[in-house]
């Protein structure tokens, strides 16, 4: 009986490790995706800020 329990316990531990590894990989992928999306948003924000500044300068030149 002891040998059977050792095998079952070992299998369960291996299954637990596999599940942890799977969840860790999913977490890493999600973090990478969110990081990439955040960087894309930062670039869009910078482009829009530049456009707003350009339009403000043009407006100042017209109103001068």
């Amino acid at each position: 009986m002891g040998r059977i329990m050792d095998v079952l316990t070992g299998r369960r531990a291996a299954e637990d490790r596999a599940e942890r590894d799977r969840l860790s990989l999913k977490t890493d992928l999600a973090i990478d995706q969110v990081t990439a999306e955040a960087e894309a948003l930062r670039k869009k924000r910078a482009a829009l800020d530049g456009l707003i500044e350009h339009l403000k300068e043009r407006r100042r030149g017209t109103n001068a």
Side-chain angles (χ1 to χ4, degrees):
M1 184 74 170
R3 174 82 177 127
I4 293 172
M5 290 304 292
D6 289 344
V7 170
L8 291 176
T9 302
R11 183 180 306 153
R12 186 168 297 132
E15 290 170 352
D16 289 347
R17 281 191 303 275
E19 179 68 9
R20 273 195 311 272
D21 290 347
R22 186 181 70 76
L23 291 175
S24 178
L25 179 58
K26 284 179 76 172
T27 301
D28 290 346
L29 291 173
I31 289 170
D32 290 345
Q33 181 179 359
V34 168
T35 301
E37 290 173 3
E39 183 60 29
L41 288 173
R42 277 192 283 279
K43 287 179 181 179
K44 287 179 183 179
R45 171 77 186 259
L48 288 172
D49 286 345
L51 176 61
I52 289 169
E53 191 59 37
H54 172 74
L55 293 173
K56 283 181 182 178
E57 288 176 14
R58 272 185 48 189
R59 190 167 167 203
R60 281 186 215 118
T62 305
N63 292 338

